Amino acid sequence: MRKVYHRPEGLTDTLMRYCPGCGHGIIHRIIAELLVELNIRERTVGIAPVGCSVFADEYFNCDMIQPAHGRGPAVATGLKRANPDLIVFSYQGDGDLAAIGTAEIVHAAARNENFTVIFVNNAIYGMTGGQLAPTTLPNMVSTTTPRGRNTKLAGNPIRVCELLNSLDGPVYINRTSVHTPQWVLKTKKAIKRGFEIQMAKKGFALIEVLSMCPTNWRMSPIESSRWIEEVMSKYYELKLFRDLTKEEK
Amino acid sequence: MPKNRTEVLVDVCKGCGLCVEFCPKKIIRLSDDINSSGYHPAEIIDQEKCIGCGFCYLICPEPAMVIYREER
Ligand SMILES: Cc1ncc(C[n+]2csc(CCOP(=O)(O)OP(=O)(O)O)c2C)c(N)n1
Ligand code: SF4
Ligand code: SF4
Ligand code: SF4
């Protein structure tokens, strides 16, 4: 018998400390598989965010940097410009990317920097205890909006793909999810495309991935998967927003 | 001999139940046993029925599943 699916070499042997059913583990594994499949592990530097995945450097079996909250795209810019042959990915949550790091991501995208961003949207601040994130849905309960997000008071969510899609810079923008095995496969294809675009020196790629946070959503992992299917993916449309490499042909 | 084999890495599993939900053959359940981290790990009820699709691996956040397929 042939071993077809197993822990990829792109992950270390350290067991991940995420909550049961957390999407971060799935997304880490997808990236780790691609590091091996694209044969780029030895020349890849990942940027870990601040958030639940702040310890991503312990989990990915490649070089990693863990900069200040939200500054991943700024560090990735310097790293990639100084070392164009490295493969650089920035892994960021929604608090990291769409709140404290909004300026960095918008300008990196506008400049069409040649690295890959994996943006994990779980609609909440996971690490700090479930506070409102820029991506928290209208009426969604968080610890800082216990009666649900009142958009008159707490403002409206930011749809990052749509926002960045208004810029001329980015080459590739896609929104996927990891709430079912089928979507896990689609996410892998999308992130693969993001890396390939970087390897071809074509420019900026961002893949937004809807991801379960059962703990702070106060749901079971299965309920969380259903909630993405029935609610979250209706607000954050799962689609390819842009692939400029296709238009070139 | 079953055609395909699914192995659960018992002490890596966190008993989240996602594989139980998405196995198309419904041959996974959470065990009554408790693993070294205090979770009820997944177990395969009927290995013969496994089609080696890998859905349980794909949805597993840890990943605590290893899938073997028959050589063709
Ligand atoms: C400069 C700074 N401000 C605030 C914090 C507190 N803090 C830690 S993680 C976090 C947000 C995490 O949310 P997100 O990026 O969505 O990641 P998740 O934990 O949900 O994966 C905040 C505000 C910090 N560590 N540093
Ligand atoms: S709090 Fe949420 S995002 Fe953080 S590890 Fe737990 S499930 Fe994952
Ligand atoms: S490989 Fe497919 S059929 Fe076999 S246990 Fe996993 S999900 Fe079920
Ligand atoms: S998906 Fe993974 S962690 Fe969750 S119950 Fe199944 S084997 Fe265990």
Side-chain angles (χ1 to χ4, degrees):
Chain A
M1 274 202 239
R2 196 164 51 93
K3 219 187 210 184
V4 280
Y5 290 105
H6 57 92
R7 189 180 189 84
E9 230 183 89
L11 289 176
T12 63
D13 291 335
T14 307
L15 299 185
M16 294 185 269
R17 290 184 289 266
Y18 300 114
C19 310
C22 173
H24 275 304
I26 304 176
I27 302 166
H28 284 19
R29 190 199 69 230
I30 293 171
I31 297 169
E33 287 171 352
L34 289 170
L35 295 181
V36 178
E37 284 168 31
L38 296 169
N39 198 21
I40 54 174
R41 189 179 70 80
E42 304 254 327
R43 61 179 177 118
T44 295
V45 183
I47 317 270
V50 168
C52 284
S53 45
V54 67
F55 293 127
D57 58 301
E58 293 182 30
Y59 306 144
F60 284 111
N61 195 10
C62 63
D63 285 332
M64 297 288 292
I65 299 178
Q66 201 286 298
H69 205 0
R71 273 55 182 177
V75 173
T77 299
L79 189 62
K80 184 74 186 187
R81 285 191 178 204
N83 306 275
D85 291 330
L86 290 180
I87 300 298
V88 177
F89 73 89
S90 180
Y91 185 101
Q92 300 181 259
D94 43 63
D96 193 81
L97 181 141
I100 195 166
T102 317
E104 282 75 10
I105 193 65
V106 169
H107 288 280
R111 294 191 307 265
N112 192 23
E113 295 293 343
N114 190 30
F115 58 81
T116 310
V117 181
I118 291 94
F119 167 45
V120 180
N121 180 359
N122 58 15
I124 205 99
Y125 282 14
M127 184 199 215
T128 45
Q131 294 86 352
L132 179 100
T135 48
T136 300
L137 273 61
N139 303 316
M140 180 176 166
V141 171
S142 72
T143 48
T144 42
T145 54
R147 285 174 215 88
R149 181 177 193 155
N150 174 353
T151 52
K152 291 205 178 83
L153 198 65
N156 291 282
I158 295 178
R159 291 184 177 96
V160 170
C161 287
E162 286 84 342
L163 181 77
L164 297 183
N165 200 28
S166 72
L167 303 170
D168 292 338
V171 170
Y172 184 83
I173 304 174
N174 199 348
R175 186 187 286 121
T176 66
S177 176
V178 289
H179 70 292
T180 65
Q182 292 84 352
W183 276 106
V184 167
L185 288 171
K186 286 183 200 167
T187 299
K188 184 167 176 183
K189 257 179 127 172
I191 298 178
K192 185 175 184 194
R193 192 87 201 97
F195 277 129
E196 284 169 347
I197 285 167
Q198 180 181 169
M199 289 159 81
K201 301 197 182 336
K202 293 242 160 82
F204 184 91
L206 178 138
I207 300 92
E208 173 174 344
V209 187
L210 306 189
S211 173
M212 297 79 85
C213 176
T215 300
N216 285 302
W217 293 358
R218 311 255 190 295
M219 293 178 199
S220 72
I222 293 162
E223 286 164 353
S224 303
S225 158
R226 286 197 197 122
W227 189 76
I228 291 186
E229 177 71 33
E230 287 160 18
V231 182
M232 193 176 176
S233 62
K234 302 291 183 286
Y235 195 85
Y236 295 107
E237 197 186 346
L238 300 175
K239 70 167 193 179
L240 175 65
F241 288 82
R242 181 186 298 198
D243 186 347
L244 292 187
T245 61
K246 288 223 167 100
E247 281 160 32
E248 271 170 22
K249 277 178 220 157
Chain B
M1 265 297 270
K3 284 204 187 75
N4 309 293
R5 197 159 66 80
T6 303
E7 184 191 339
V8 183
L9 306 174
V10 172
D11 287 318
V12 178
C13 171
K14 291 186 188 148
C16 73
L18 286 169
C19 58
V20 177
E21 174 78 6
F22 287 106
C23 171
K25 291 292 165 191
K26 298 286 167 220
I27 54 169
I28 313 178
R29 71 174 169 212
L30 296 185
S31 155
D32 287 335
D33 294 345
I34 291 175
N35 71 8
S36 59
S37 302
Y39 297 113
H40 291 292
E43 65 181 0
I44 310 297
I45 315 161
D46 191 350
Q47 191 64 73
E48 295 288 327
K49 288 198 185 133
C50 175
I51 53 170
C53 65
F55 276 20
C56 54
Y57 168 89
L58 290 171
I59 202 67
C60 180
E62 307 313 326
M65 289 291 187
V66 184
I67 319 285
Y68 300 84
R69 267 188 215 150
E70 188 187 38
E71 292 282 6
R72 259 176 278 228

